[in-house]
Amino acid sequence: MSAVAAPDDVLSVRGLNVTVRDTVLVADVDLTVGPGERVGLIGESGSGKSLTALSILGLLPDDVVADGSIRLAGVGPDLVGTDEKTLSRIRGRDLAMVFQEPMTALNPTMRIGDQIAEVMLIHQTRSGRAAARAAAAELLERVQLPPDLLRAYPHQLSGGQRQRVVLAIALANDPALLICDEPTTALDVTVQALVLDLIVSGVRERSSALLFITHDLAVVATVCDRVLVMYGGRVVESGPITTLFTTPRHRYTQGLLAASNLEPHDAPTASDFADGAYPDSGSGDVAPSSRTRSRRLTTIPGTVPAAGHFPSGCVFRNRCAHATDVCATTPPWTGTATHGYACHHPAGAQDA
Amino acid sequence: MPDQPAIVATDLVRDFPRPRTSLLTPAPVVHALRGVSLEVKQGERFGIVGESGCGKSTLLRLIAALDRPTSGQIVVEGTDITNLPERRLRFLRENLQLVFQDPMSSLDPRMRVRDIIAEPLVVQGHPASGARVRELLDAVGLPANAGERYPHQFSGGQRQRISIARALAPRPRILIADEPVSALDVSVRAQVLNLISDLVDELDLTLVFVSHDLSVVKHVCDRVAVMNAGQIVETGPTADVYAAPQHAYTQRLVSAIPTLQRALSGATTADLLSHPAAPSKGAPA
């Protein structure tokens, strides 16, 4: 991914590497988010997506080091290597985050209203305590929570309500970029639907950009315009939602799509992926009976390796049915910065 | 007794009294189940769907005789277990096994995997041979040397395989799975669902599969019961319930599930809410 960044990108990440001692956790990640754009970052546990988000926020643990370049529109310095004092002025104002666990993201000893007002008082985006309080009430209403929750404590709220409070805090200062890391993973489907809708309408009203991290392909397809697929700390494919999910090129994307498809394999939507390229190695010697054949899901053989144990070259080659000797070299990026893939044997080519 | 239903529950009620909040008012009561009736046939794959707090776990605990109903009756394989003392539940402990949601907290971190898998056999006084443990490890797709290791040395999907091996150890006829895949990644979820499907077929098990995700239940189960606020609001063949939900709650549940197909045909987050969401029960107003 070596195209020139458009000057008006809200977020521009170039060549991001995250390492802990000698182990590379994230390698050479390029990522841009345009104004008002909703970009998804998908991948399984251990793919490096959360570390990428934490690098952007400057919240990496002490022994984990990021290098490369992370630039945010309207903010002078490169976020990589900026001191904590500067970063703390940016976080919560230009850059906001909704974490996965709403239980731990709120202060249990502070009333909801004070927590929402606090973020505006710290960054002095409202003229005073009264103005911040009024703004907090309004934000609470925007996330469809009743005004009497202003005086409630976090433990009195359900998971979905807490996540809406976290969202209200994140949106309080109209950030240029909102990062959501698996914001609905712990929630029920109906609550998830509401929170997703509030996130999308929240960023739309403010023309904020959104970086949405999830492992749920259906969620990312519903929320985002564009998506990046991460595996083993690398971006393996990126592109517009529709193109990427209908004609995946990287074998990992293809496998991920097939594995999340819960429709029977004879359904027309599944036929593209049911080419038998991904035999199930997981269930060992259990022979499928005739009854299960229609129920069998396509799987990716093997498991995601532990950090630092991914193969050299193409990180997916030890689980890929199409891997050959050439995959021992790192596959080059094919395509443009926002739409391309890194694979020696892409799907849809002659050998597919 | 092949025609005998595996599980029959009749008008189950379970109330949990909460601590008194005042000397002057009676203790508040949580009505976890309010009259649940269901029948699971032998060899059936039965799904129970509902959100957190709808009572599905309480129902499972009653079926597994880990808890007693306030009123109502549960019959498992022809035996009324409602008021049976623990010493007469031995048949149930052998014939009915559970797989829990969180594979980290449901495996003893200080036991080797081979001891975890053999534990149900030991408890029930069967000889726990190494051969049986190896056979079970093989059945769930784990290498034989996995028995020597500890749970923390395995990934989430592998731990769930260990849970399944442990559940299958006493050769049960009924397998109850409580959200077995909700903590797993997509590609691992597919592997574990395939494994459960294969084993249920191969061993002729009756499966009760609990999940909050109707699309997973639709894939695994023949019949489904939708629960809301301690009651079953809709029962039917899974495909029918999914395609043409009758009850308002089921309709809202189905429309809230994001799917790739819908998203690619232009569905937005607003479409997920096309049936207005009601506030969840039990939450403060």
Side-chain angles (χ1 to χ4, degrees), chain A residues 12 41-42 69 77 167 169 172 178 183 193 205 263 311 329:
Chain A
S12 162
L41 197 55
I42 56 174
S69 148
L167 179 65
I169 293 173
L178 176 69
E205 282 162 18
E263 303 296 319
T329 58

Side-chain angles (χ1 to χ4, degrees), chain A residues 8-30:
Chain A
D8 55 353
D9 280 335
V10 174
L11 174 74
S12 162
V13 177
R14 290 276 160 265
L16 176 73
N17 295 300
V18 178
T19 49
V20 55
R21 291 176 292 276
D22 293 333
T23 310
V24 179
L25 303 175
V26 172
D28 200 21
V29 166
D30 287 5

Side-chain angles (χ1 to χ4, degrees), chain A residues 43-46 49 146 148-149 156-158 161 185-194 196-198 200-201 204 215-219 221-223 241-243 245-246 252 255-257 259-264 269-270 280-304 319, chain B residues 43-45 50-53 56 138-142 155 158 161 179 182-195 197-202 204-205 212-222 242 249 252-253 255-264 267-273 277-278 280-285:
Chain A
E44 297 178 83
S45 322
K49 52 194 195 315
D148 46 343
L149 282 195
Q156 297 173 291
L157 274 59
S158 69
Q161 290 175 320
T185 308
L187 305 178
D188 282 318
V189 272
T190 50
V191 182
Q192 163 173 285
L194 177 63
L196 290 179
D197 192 49
L198 290 172
V200 169
S201 52
R204 193 176 282 154
H215 66 269
D216 190 326
L217 303 194
V219 167
T222 313
V223 170
I241 291 285
T242 323
T243 325
F245 284 166
T246 48
Y252 175 65
L256 205 56
L257 275 165
S260 39
N261 184 14
L262 293 173
E263 303 296 319
T269 43
D280 174 35
S281 71
S283 47
D285 299 323
V286 179
S289 75
S290 57
R291 190 179 168 207
T292 43
R293 201 150 291 149
S294 64
R295 294 181 189 269
R296 287 197 75 76
L297 296 166
T298 314
T299 63
I300 302 176
T303 49
V304 181
R319 301 176 70 191
Chain B
E44 193 174 32
R45 294 148 167 252
E51 302 193 0
S52 340
K56 51 190 198 300
D138 186 51
V140 298
L142 287 172
S155 68
Q158 288 171 321
R161 287 171 193 271
E179 306 253 15
S182 30
L184 306 178
D185 272 322
V186 188
S187 70
V188 182
R189 180 183 75 174
Q191 290 175 357
V192 172
L193 286 177
N194 277 346
L195 174 67
S197 251
D198 289 343
L199 291 170
V200 164
D201 271 2
E202 195 186 341
D204 244 337
L205 301 176
H212 66 276
D213 188 340
L214 188 50
S215 51
V216 171
V217 168
K218 170 171 158 253
H219 175 78
V220 177
C221 300
D222 310 315
Y242 193 78
Y249 175 76
R252 210 172 73 222
L253 199 63
S255 77
I257 301 171
T259 67
L260 266 183
Q261 282 79 6
R262 276 173 70 198
L264 292 178
T268 62
T269 49
D271 295 323
L272 300 179
L273 292 170
S280 53
K281 64 266 138 214

